[in-house]
Amino acid sequence: MILTRNPELGKCKTRLAAKVGDKAALDIYKFLLDQTVAFTKNLNVEKWVYYSEQIWEHDIWDSSIYQKKLQVGKDLGERMMHAFEEGFRAGFENIIIIGSDMFHLNQKDLEEAFSKLDQHDFVVGPAEDGGYYLLGMKSLRRKLFQNKAWGTNTVLSDTLSDIKDADVHLLQEKNDVDYYEDIKNIEAFAPFLKHIQE
């Protein structure tokens, strides 16, 4: 499952936009969406993409590859919980959720996550900012999505504390893209940042 925001000017990557401007933030987010399509489209699993605002029929998410859904819930926790509930209701046994702002994720990482989920109750991909970029589970644990300060550096530790009694596999730590500092030294983003003066 992939949580995504509809790529609209002024509505995505707002923390990044504070430094680079709305137009560059939108271009960067579209670039990250293209990356997400590239490393998920050939995965040999059922793929659902969850839109933040509305489902777009003709966009980069090919509806012959991705089932299109709408996020439900007031905050990120509720939105993820509803997605997992829907997946388990549909009969899936191993479910992984990711966002769409990962530059350093690839297909091999996701295949590893699924293979680890075969052997463990939970798989978590820790993000450098104290959150997580990937969460996988075999059965719904609702408290993972409750009482969290989403978008802060306590999300990972609070989440791991919720599943300390379970068999958890931690993936390699990676960096998601939220702030200018996350991308300023990565060559692939240089074309989007030419207008920025340090």
Side-chain angles (χ1 to χ4, degrees):
M1 299 190 297
I2 303 157
L3 286 191
T4 180
R5 292 194 79 82
N6 291 74
E8 296 177 283
L9 192 66
K11 291 189 181 174
C12 50
K13 289 280 146 233
T14 50
R15 290 176 290 185
L16 177 63
K19 172 81 177 179
V20 305
D22 287 344
K23 170 78 169 69
L26 177 61
D27 290 343
I28 289 165
Y29 188 52
K30 286 179 171 174
F31 171 72
L32 290 167
L33 288 175
D34 287 337
Q35 292 275 117
T36 308
V37 169
F39 67 70
T40 57
K41 65 181 179 188
N42 296 318
L43 264 181
N44 193 20
V45 295
E46 176 91 13
K47 294 175 280 283
W48 293 2
V49 59
Y50 279 85
Y51 290 77
S52 59
E53 310 297 327
Q54 62 193 106
I55 293 173
W56 289 356
E57 289 311 324
H58 304 291
D59 62 0
I60 60 169
W61 305 101
D62 180 340
S63 50
S64 68
I65 298 174
Y66 300 92
Q67 207 176 121
K68 300 185 175 194
K69 311 250 179 199
L70 201 55
Q71 295 175 30
V72 177
K74 293 190 294 288
D75 63 17
L76 179 60
E78 282 190 13
R79 288 166 179 242
M80 287 196 288
M81 187 169 76
H82 281 291
F84 273 105
E85 283 174 340
E86 193 171 10
F88 286 122
R89 262 202 316 273
F92 292 105
E93 293 175 2
N94 288 1
I95 301 179
I96 284 173
I97 200 163
I98 60 170
S100 46
D101 53 3
M102 293 297 300
F103 178 67
H104 294 294
L105 204 56
N106 59 47
Q107 182 175 330
K108 204 159 128 299
D109 294 326
L110 293 174
E111 287 166 350
E112 180 198 350
F114 273 109
S115 110
K116 294 299 182 190
L117 194 51
D118 278 337
Q119 306 149 28
H120 303 271
D121 301 325
F122 296 91
V123 173
V124 180
E128 289 174 10
D129 62 6
Y132 56 79
Y133 61 85
L134 177 150
L135 177 65
M137 62 179 79
K138 290 180 154 122
S139 62
L140 187 62
R141 183 84 65 107
R142 281 190 172 77
K143 74 175 179 181
L144 290 186
F145 308 109
Q146 296 160 353
N147 305 315
K148 302 286 182 296
W150 299 106
T152 70
N153 62 4
T154 61
V155 170
L156 178 66
S157 56
D158 289 348
T159 300
L160 293 178
S161 161
D162 286 341
I163 47 177
K164 58 178 184 288
D165 59 331
D167 180 6
V168 181
H169 178 80
L170 286 181
L171 300 169
Q172 187 182 355
E173 186 177 79
K174 291 184 184 289
N175 185 27
D176 51 7
V177 175
D178 290 316
Y179 295 97
Y180 170 68
E181 287 67 31
D182 297 329
I183 60 171
K184 65 176 186 177
N185 298 320
I186 301 175
E187 202 175 315
F189 293 99
F192 304 110
L193 303 174
K194 289 200 286 259
H195 64 298
I196 297 290
Q197 294 300 309
E198 275 291 317

